[in-house]
Amino acid sequence: MMNIDSYTHVRGESVYLDDIPLVNGTLFASVFDSPVAHGKIKSLDIDAAMKMPGVVRIFTAADIPGENQIGGIIADEELLASTHVHFCGMPVALVVATSDEAAKAAVKKIKIEIDPLPVITDPREAKEKNELIIPPRTFQLGDTTAAWTQCDYIIEGSTATNGQEHLYIETQGAYAVPQENSAIRIYSSTQGPTQVQRTTARVLNIPMNFIEVDTTRLGGGFGGKEDQASAWGAMCALAAWHLKKPVKYSLHRMEDMRMTGKRHPYSSDFKIGLNKDYKIVAYEVTFFQNAGAAADLSPAVMERTLFHCTNSYFIPNVKATAYSCKTNLPPNTAFRGFGGPQGMFVIEAAIAEAAAALNVSPILIQQKNLLKTGDEFPYGQIAQSEANECWDKAVNLYDLQKLQQEVDAYNNNNKLSKKGLALMPICFGISFTKTLMNQARALVHVYTDGSVGVSTAGVEMGQGLNTKILQVAASIFSINPERIKVNTTNTYRVANTSPTAASASSDLNGKATEIACVAILQRLKEVAAEEFTADISSIEVKEDCVFVNGKQTDWSWNKLVQAAFVKRVSLSEHAHYAPPGIWFDTTKEKGHPFTYHVYGTAITTVTIDCLRGIYEVDSVKIVHDFGKSMNPIIDIGQCEGALVQGIGWMTMEEMLYDKEGKLKSNALSTYKVPDIYSVPKEITIHFLETEKENLAIFRSKAVGEPPLMYGIGAYFALFNAIKAFNPAANIPYDAPMTPEKVLMSLYPQTLKENK
Ligand code: MTE
Ligand code: HPA
Ligand code: MOS
């Protein structure tokens, strides 16, 4: 089935926040944000701004009737800075005017005096100064201290991965419209409508049932709107509540880049020990997460880094420690992979470093240590592994030996152009790591004309969730998909939603939809059983018709629905789903946090230009564990998109803050994102269809995040290409591998001499 949004997307008719028709009298908001990264506010002068044409009012922390607090996990983040600023871009005041232009012009007239305080941008420095968001956590398996004595080789090193700008095409924004009795409706570009509702209730000190959050779809979220959409919703609501007028704020791209958090940069140390058979015996790793100036989702992201610190490998002795380090950068947040990729990069670097030291191919070490069914993860869960299946399939299907020979032959024949090849296995746990978040609800109405409306807790953000939800309803009812409409995500229809995140939303919301549809269908069958004086077990609804004992009757779906209505049978159902069997004990750091894991293997080849340092990704050949895909078109799209996003993170997206905490890469002219030219020339995706039981919706495994981590393969393919040119190259494990870094690694000596 095609993505149901294709038609309106292509015609430009899909509705995003900026397409919502404005209510007469709508005002426009714009934020004045801190120009410095850390300091005490001495004075704020809004007089000149107030005199600007069109300005209605300027709000500050003093205007907040409830709590000036938006921190979800930890209450450590103000909506508007009251006494101190903690990062460049921290909102201080909200200008409301009769037009967007007027609001932005007035923002420029606000003056602030700040007594500067020391600025920290480096996570290791923050750790040294004991600036931590939460106490460190350690995951342990076996006993590394004892295990070092059994190792024949021990290799140590350090790595760094930079952050990543989400660059959703639709920037952050919200539109708050006052309703009667001081209720407020907020249209929000958010992955978490309930999060916006809860935060606004807290800020305004009004109950949640007076706040309706409605989301049609997002022009991308990628994690950036899991938690960080709430501020704009709360700000618009604050202004709308005071002024009794609708207020809209749709961020300019540069405001968005400056004021919002990104993927967490990490700095890490590793120590890896192997025996003579290249089995990894022990692994110790310490992660320094750059959390930014407030907790946001950092503790949860840090936790997932620990969960994925051994990627797709079994290591019997592991000790992984993570520090969430508080710096004066915008609070970093969820980003596709949610800390997992950062953890996986380090083990891949450790393997690459070990391979270089032992003069063997990293592929050998990777392959020898792949996770098997029955192996234990450092957090206690027992693996149901597809790692070897994916790996072997990739090696055979794509003929790794031949690919490697081609690369070697090319490198022998070319002096100034080199190829590199790398394998990247992945293993990603599906479920929110916080068990309680794994719940969802669906509300299904069958109308008397036989049409069906479905509302869930899930948000469509381009990942095809609504299409999958529609497929679930169409499949359970066995009716023409055209009869079904998936509605906006709205906190008045479905309450207490988890954000659409963790790749789990089709599973959670799909299963809730399934339960609701099954319940309605059961009641409809009872009606039919009575009509045809047959046993309910003999009734079937198939392709819009009622069947009794396998024989088609003259009852259509419509007739059945009408008969049920006449008999006063409920045609609606609200269902709840919470996946069974998951738990995690943080006091022991053990449990069974994931309903299942997703596996895969990618083979990446690249070509570098050894004069210029530029490069191309020739091909990425993937075997991916989809379970039994319920929508291969969407799932391929998710794989391709995630892969390219991962390659962008690993190779070209270079976030740059200066020492004063100012974002230098603050626009699309200074921040390079992958475009069509940086997409691999060839992407092949093979579906590993597994028949094994899994807890995914219709056994179609979650796909949103896992393929991003194939992008890590591009880093190591570049690494290998550089080594082919200069075997002595001392390449730091410091992503992204920009063309500048490639060039520096190719000719370290020469460049130093030229300096
Ligand atoms: N795909 C598109 N087109 N746009 C997005 O914003 N977000 C990703 C992924 N795929 C995203 C996307 C992220 S971070 C997650 S967690 C999942 O989609 C969430 O949706 P799912 O649970 O339905 O997979
Ligand atoms: N993944 C994604 N988002 C989340 C998670 C998670 O595990 N926990 C809280 N938000
Ligand atoms: Mo995705 S980072 O879980 O929104």
Side-chain angles (χ1 to χ4, degrees), residues 36 39-45 81-85 92 111-116:
V36 303
K40 187 172 184 316
I41 300 175
K42 248 170 49 183
S43 70
L44 183 71
D45 178 1
S82 57
T83 59
H84 289 77
V85 291
V92 179
K111 291 197 176 65
I112 193 165
E113 279 184 297
I114 296 172
D115 274 338

Side-chain angles (χ1 to χ4, degrees), residues 410-543:
Y410 182 93
N411 289 344
N412 285 334
N413 295 333
N414 290 276
K415 247 177 111 177
L416 293 175
S417 167
K418 295 289 179 189
K419 283 189 189 290
L421 176 151
L423 266 74
M424 181 65 201
I426 61 156
C427 165
F428 196 78
I430 301 303
S431 282
F432 287 93
T433 55
K434 193 161 184 63
T435 303
L436 83 83
M437 292 177 80
N438 296 285
Q439 50 173 312
R441 282 156 289 278
L443 176 65
V444 178
H445 297 307
V446 178
Y447 293 92
T448 52
D449 65 353
S451 64
V452 177
V454 183
S455 302
T456 73
V459 170
E460 174 62 48
M461 46 183 169
Q463 86 281 39
L465 171 68
N466 284 356
T467 304
K468 288 184 174 177
I469 295 292
L470 192 144
Q471 283 182 277
V472 170
S475 155
I476 301 295
F477 288 143
S478 190
I479 57 174
N480 186 335
E482 283 172 14
R483 289 174 175 274
I484 303 169
K485 178 172 179 290
V486 180
N487 295 312
T488 64
T489 317
N490 185 297
T491 55
Y492 278 0
R493 280 195 298 276
V494 179
N496 306 325
T497 68
S498 286
T500 294
S503 306
S505 63
S506 7
D507 282 359
L508 298 174
N509 296 287
K511 290 210 179 225
T513 304
E514 180 183 20
I515 293 166
C517 293
V518 165
I520 294 171
L521 184 64
Q522 182 65 16
R523 292 199 288 269
L524 291 173
K525 282 181 176 176
E526 280 164 18
V527 170
E530 208 178 308
E531 164 69 18
F532 295 104
T533 50
D535 193 78
I536 188 156
S537 62
S538 63
I539 308 289
E540 253 183 304
V541 177
K542 262 195 323 202
E543 290 163 14

Side-chain angles (χ1 to χ4, degrees), residues 22 77 114 127 174 203 226 247 292 334 337 377 388 464 472 535 654 668 689 751:
L22 298 182
E77 189 179 357
I114 296 172
K127 195 248 160 188
V203 166
E226 177 172 340
V247 176
F377 287 102
N388 281 284
V472 170
D535 193 78
E654 193 169 36
L668 289 177
E689 281 224 15
L751 283 179

Side-chain angles (χ1 to χ4, degrees), residues 191 222-223 226 334-338 500-503 705:
Q191 291 173 240
F222 305 112
E226 177 172 340
F335 196 134
R336 207 171 195 171
F338 206 76
T500 294
S503 306
E705 296 166 283

Side-chain angles (χ1 to χ4, degrees), residues 555-630:
W555 270 36
S556 63
W557 165 261
N558 278 16
K559 198 153 179 197
L560 176 62
V561 168
Q562 274 156 27
F565 182 67
V566 168
K567 290 196 162 166
R568 300 187 292 167
V569 169
S570 167
L571 294 172
S572 298
E573 187 76 13
H574 180 264
H576 170 85
Y577 176 72
I582 48 171
W583 60 279
F584 194 70
D585 180 349
T586 50
T587 63
K588 300 195 175 74
E589 303 289 25
K590 297 282 176 194
H592 188 105
F594 300 117
T595 45
Y596 58 89
H597 291 82
V598 169
Y599 296 85
T601 295
I603 306 177
T604 302
T605 48
V606 300
T607 307
I608 58 173
D609 173 335
C610 303
L611 282 178
R612 297 168 189 82
I614 56 176
Y615 47 76
E616 278 184 327
V617 180
D618 303 324
S619 67
V620 181
K621 298 167 191 283
I622 295 169
V623 172
H624 185 79
D625 162 30
F626 289 92
K628 195 173 180 314
S629 173
M630 69 187 281

Side-chain angles (χ1 to χ4, degrees), residues 359-376:
N359 204 19
V360 295
S361 165
I363 295 171
L364 177 72
I365 300 178
Q366 288 176 310
Q367 191 269 331
K368 282 205 178 259
N369 292 281
L370 289 172
L371 199 67
K372 295 189 183 64
T373 293
D375 285 343
E376 186 179 345

